[in-house]
Structure formats: C-alpha cells, structure tokens
Amino acid sequence: MTETPVNRGAHLADPGPLGLAGFALTTFLLSCVNSGLVKDTEVAAVLGLAFAYGGLAQLLAGMWEFAKGNTFGATAFSSYGAFWLSFWWMAEHGEDKAAGHGVALYLFCWGIFTAYMFVASLGLGNPALMVVFALLTLTFLLLAFGGWNDAAPGSGLTAVGGWFGLATAVAAWYTSLAGVAAFTFKRPIFPTGAK
C-alpha cells in the first residue's frame, strides 16, 4: 500500500504577510520615537500596537507557520511576537535610568538572534526577506550601543538605529505587500527576487 504524500498546512493561507505587516507597523512607530521624529514621551502610543499587532498577531502568524511546516517562519514570527510582548511588558512596568543598560543588553541579544536568522534567510532565496533581516540586525545593534552610550532617544546611535528601524519597517511592509498582492492578483506583482 502506497501512502499519498500530505501537503502540510495546504488548507491554511500564507501567514507570512500578516506577520511581516504586524512587525513593520510596530517597528515603524517605535522607530519614529528612536529616530527623534516624535518625542520620546510618545512611546505610550506604541504600547497597544506592540501588544496586539506586533505581539499577538505575529505570535499567531508564527503558530500558523508551524502548522504549515515552515520552521523559519515559525521561529521568526513567534520570536518577534515574543519580542513585542516583552517590550510591552517592560514599558508598562517602567524603566528607570539604571534599567537602561539592561534594555541595551536585551536589544544586543535580539541583535544576535536576528543575525543568525539573517544567515538562515540566505538559504530561502528571497532577497527582499534577506534585506529585512540585514537591516533589522543593524537596527538592534545600533539601538543596543545607543542604549549604552546615548542620553535619550533621538540622539547619537539611538537616532541612527531609529532610522535603520524605519528602513527595516519599509522593507518588511514591501515584502508583506508582495505576498498579499501575489495572492490577490494570482501572480507576482511586486518583485522580491525570490527563486
């Protein structure tokens, strides 16, 4: 008796565009603060978004990637969903000056994780996704070093990290748009360089 191969998760829509969109919007808003485009007192505007869209929506996208058998997408979206949920929790529970170095270490550790996800993304054959992970690695590292050295968001390396975060968000939005448009138009509309 021959078994018919099962296409895992074939009944599920692609959760990638949702995860990328949740990541992009939340990253964009926080990066407006980090770059100095808006005052650091406006970080409260990020918190609800960090919890619901950056956190929960990405975590759900990660779980759906597990169901589809996509280890890379599951690891990425679940992890960055957890990042945004933990960011929300830290911001809700306050941060004093002494905690600033702890946050910098937190961001540095996320930079390490993102760097290895960038290396893994090289095997996917999707240059648009590689750009997202390359920019995000630089964003986390700049924000970490800024946290160790700068006085406040909008200054020094933190501001540079904020600008890299804005570029990361735009790259993630583009990659999300490419996925949604390819589904709705039934053909690739926005090139990602994917093989």
Side-chain angles (χ1 to χ4, degrees):
M1 174 182 244
T2 307
E3 289 187 25
T4 305
V6 176
N7 186 358
R8 288 182 288 170
H11 62 288
L12 296 175
D14 180 8
L18 168 64
L20 285 164
F23 173 79
L25 183 56
T26 314
T27 299
F28 187 87
L29 193 55
L30 182 58
S31 295
C32 285
V33 174
N34 287 329
S35 66
L37 288 176
V38 298
K39 295 178 183 172
D40 63 346
T41 56
E42 300 300 319
V43 75
V46 180
L47 297 183
L49 196 60
F51 179 80
Y53 202 34
L56 293 180
Q58 275 198 98
L59 188 60
L60 287 169
M63 296 302 107
W64 290 319
E65 289 284 14
F66 274 116
K68 290 184 78 63
N70 181 353
T71 300
F72 182 89
T75 303
F77 292 133
S78 299
S79 296
Y80 293 114
F83 165 80
W84 284 113
L85 289 170
S86 63
F87 173 83
W88 167 80
W89 189 89
M90 288 188 310
E92 280 292 308
H93 289 82
E95 173 193 333
D96 58 18
K97 192 66 179 164
H101 290 274
V103 172
L105 180 59
Y106 166 84
L107 294 169
F108 183 75
C109 292
W110 278 103
I112 293 169
F113 170 75
T114 304
Y116 91 61
M117 290 301 288
F118 166 72
V119 171
S121 77
L122 299 175
L124 297 176
N126 185 332
L129 202 53
M130 292 178 218
V131 168
V132 172
F133 281 94
L135 289 170
L136 184 57
T137 299
L138 294 172
T139 299
F140 275 129
L141 295 177
L142 286 164
L143 291 174
F145 289 113
W148 282 315
N149 297 306
D150 299 339
S155 64
L157 290 174
T158 300
V160 175
W163 287 102
F164 269 87
L166 291 169
T168 302
V170 169
W173 261 326
Y174 178 85
T175 308
S176 174
L177 169 63
V180 172
F183 175 80
T184 58
F185 289 96
K186 307 299 184 227
R187 61 185 174 83
I189 299 293
F190 298 96
T192 61
K195 297 177 185 176

